[in-house]
PDB file of all heavy atoms in Angstrom:
ATOM      1  N   GLU A  37     120.371-136.724  45.622  1.00 95.00           N
ATOM      2  CA  GLU A  37     120.694-136.852  47.042  1.00 95.00           C
ATOM      3  C   GLU A  37     121.109-138.269  47.397  1.00 95.00           C
ATOM      4  O   GLU A  37     122.047-138.488  48.185  1.00 95.00           O
ATOM      5  CB  GLU A  37     119.488-136.446  47.886  1.00 95.00           C
ATOM      6  CG  GLU A  37     119.168-134.963  47.839  1.00 95.00           C
ATOM      7  CD  GLU A  37     117.860-134.637  48.550  1.00 95.00           C
ATOM      8  OE1 GLU A  37     116.938-135.481  48.533  1.00 95.00           O
ATOM      9  OE2 GLU A  37     117.759-133.528  49.112  1.00 95.00           O
ATOM     10  N   VAL A 160     109.009-145.905  61.109  1.00 98.00           N
ATOM     11  CA  VAL A 160     109.134-147.007  62.061  1.00 98.00           C
ATOM     12  C   VAL A 160     110.461-146.940  62.810  1.00 98.00           C
ATOM     13  O   VAL A 160     110.526-147.222  64.000  1.00 98.00           O
ATOM     14  CB  VAL A 160     108.997-148.360  61.335  1.00 98.00           C
ATOM     15  CG1 VAL A 160     109.184-149.532  62.292  1.00 98.00           C
ATOM     16  CG2 VAL A 160     107.629-148.453  60.647  1.00 98.00           C
ATOM     17  N   GLN A 166     117.260-145.585  51.535  1.00 97.00           N
ATOM     18  CA  GLN A 166     117.415-145.718  50.091  1.00 97.00           C
ATOM     19  C   GLN A 166     117.871-147.147  49.816  1.00 97.00           C
ATOM     20  O   GLN A 166     118.537-147.771  50.647  1.00 97.00           O
ATOM     21  CB  GLN A 166     118.401-144.693  49.543  1.00 97.00           C
ATOM     22  CG  GLN A 166     119.783-144.721  50.161  1.00 97.00           C
ATOM     23  CD  GLN A 166     120.623-143.521  49.743  1.00 97.00           C
ATOM     24  OE1 GLN A 166     120.436-142.413  50.264  1.00 97.00           O
ATOM     25  NE2 GLN A 166     121.529-143.728  48.801  1.00 97.00           N
ATOM     26  N   GLU A 320     106.261-163.841  45.151  1.00 98.00           N
ATOM     27  CA  GLU A 320     107.010-163.270  46.273  1.00 98.00           C
ATOM     28  C   GLU A 320     108.259-164.096  46.580  1.00 98.00           C
ATOM     29  O   GLU A 320     109.293-163.546  46.950  1.00 98.00           O
ATOM     30  CB  GLU A 320     106.117-163.170  47.509  1.00 98.00           C
ATOM     31  CG  GLU A 320     104.854-162.352  47.323  1.00 98.00           C
ATOM     32  CD  GLU A 320     105.100-160.988  46.703  1.00 98.00           C
ATOM     33  OE1 GLU A 320     106.112-160.342  47.051  1.00 98.00           O
ATOM     34  OE2 GLU A 320     104.285-160.562  45.867  1.00 98.00           O
ATOM     35  N   ALA A 410     107.180-158.715  32.027  1.00 97.00           N
ATOM     36  CA  ALA A 410     107.251-160.173  31.919  1.00 97.00           C
ATOM     37  C   ALA A 410     107.183-160.602  30.453  1.00 97.00           C
ATOM     38  O   ALA A 410     107.925-161.501  30.021  1.00 97.00           O
ATOM     39  CB  ALA A 410     106.125-160.820  32.712  1.00 97.00           C
ATOM     40  N   GLU A 451     124.199-160.511  27.965  1.00 98.00           N
ATOM     41  CA  GLU A 451     125.057-160.410  26.783  1.00 98.00           C
ATOM     42  C   GLU A 451     126.248-161.363  26.873  1.00 98.00           C
ATOM     43  O   GLU A 451     126.585-162.051  25.890  1.00 98.00           O
ATOM     44  CB  GLU A 451     125.552-158.971  26.615  1.00 98.00           C
ATOM     45  CG  GLU A 451     124.515-158.008  26.080  1.00 98.00           C
ATOM     46  CD  GLU A 451     125.054-156.609  25.879  1.00 98.00           C
ATOM     47  OE1 GLU A 451     125.977-156.210  26.626  1.00 98.00           O
ATOM     48  OE2 GLU A 451     124.571-155.917  24.982  1.00 98.00           O
ATOM     49  N   PRO A 495     103.735-147.402  16.725  1.00 95.00           N
ATOM     50  CA  PRO A 495     103.084-146.107  16.985  1.00 95.00           C
ATOM     51  C   PRO A 495     103.868-144.957  16.366  1.00 95.00           C
ATOM     52  O   PRO A 495     105.089-144.868  16.526  1.00 95.00           O
ATOM     53  CB  PRO A 495     103.085-146.016  18.517  1.00 95.00           C
ATOM     54  CG  PRO A 495     103.213-147.424  18.986  1.00 95.00           C
ATOM     55  CD  PRO A 495     104.053-148.123  17.966  1.00 95.00           C
ATOM     56  N   GLY A 514      85.961-175.533  15.611  1.00 97.00           N
ATOM     57  CA  GLY A 514      86.767-176.216  16.614  1.00 97.00           C
ATOM     58  C   GLY A 514      87.956-176.970  16.083  1.00 97.00           C
ATOM     59  O   GLY A 514      88.750-177.503  16.859  1.00 97.00           O
ATOM     60  N   MET A 735      80.275-150.523  51.791  1.00 98.00           N
ATOM     61  CA  MET A 735      80.045-150.441  50.353  1.00 98.00           C
ATOM     62  C   MET A 735      78.552-150.484  50.038  1.00 98.00           C
ATOM     63  O   MET A 735      78.062-149.727  49.188  1.00 98.00           O
ATOM     64  CB  MET A 735      80.778-151.576  49.645  1.00 98.00           C
ATOM     65  CG  MET A 735      80.640-151.575  48.140  1.00 98.00           C
ATOM     66  SD  MET A 735      81.835-152.666  47.313  1.00 98.00           S
ATOM     67  CE  MET A 735      81.484-154.222  48.130  1.00 98.00           C
ATOM     68  N   MET A 794      92.532-134.913  50.485  1.00 95.00           N
ATOM     69  CA  MET A 794      92.763-135.974  51.452  1.00 95.00           C
ATOM     70  C   MET A 794      94.247-136.322  51.602  1.00 95.00           C
ATOM     71  O   MET A 794      94.634-137.033  52.531  1.00 95.00           O
ATOM     72  CB  MET A 794      91.971-137.224  51.053  1.00 95.00           C
ATOM     73  CG  MET A 794      90.459-137.053  51.153  1.00 95.00           C
ATOM     74  SD  MET A 794      89.522-138.370  50.309  1.00 95.00           S
ATOM     75  CE  MET A 794      89.994-139.795  51.296  1.00 95.00           C
ATOM     76  N   GLY A 799      98.143-141.462  53.184  1.00 87.00           N
ATOM     77  CA  GLY A 799      99.398-141.736  52.503  1.00 87.00           C
ATOM     78  C   GLY A 799      99.230-141.892  51.004  1.00 87.00           C
ATOM     79  O   GLY A 799      98.149-142.233  50.503  1.00 87.00           O
ATOM     80  N   ASP A 844      91.130-140.296  34.180  1.00 98.00           N
ATOM     81  CA  ASP A 844      90.667-139.422  33.106  1.00 98.00           C
ATOM     82  C   ASP A 844      90.739-140.142  31.759  1.00 98.00           C
ATOM     83  O   ASP A 844      89.844-140.003  30.914  1.00 98.00           O
ATOM     84  CB  ASP A 844      91.520-138.150  33.078  1.00 98.00           C
ATOM     85  CG  ASP A 844      91.112-137.208  31.976  1.00 98.00           C
ATOM     86  OD1 ASP A 844      90.143-136.451  32.173  1.00 98.00           O
ATOM     87  OD2 ASP A 844      91.765-137.229  30.910  1.00 98.00           O
TER      88      ASP A 844
END
Side-chain angles (χ1 to χ4, degrees):
E37 291 173 328
V160 178
Q166 57 190 77
E320 302 310 321
E451 285 182 330
M735 181 166 56
M794 293 166 65
D844 179 82

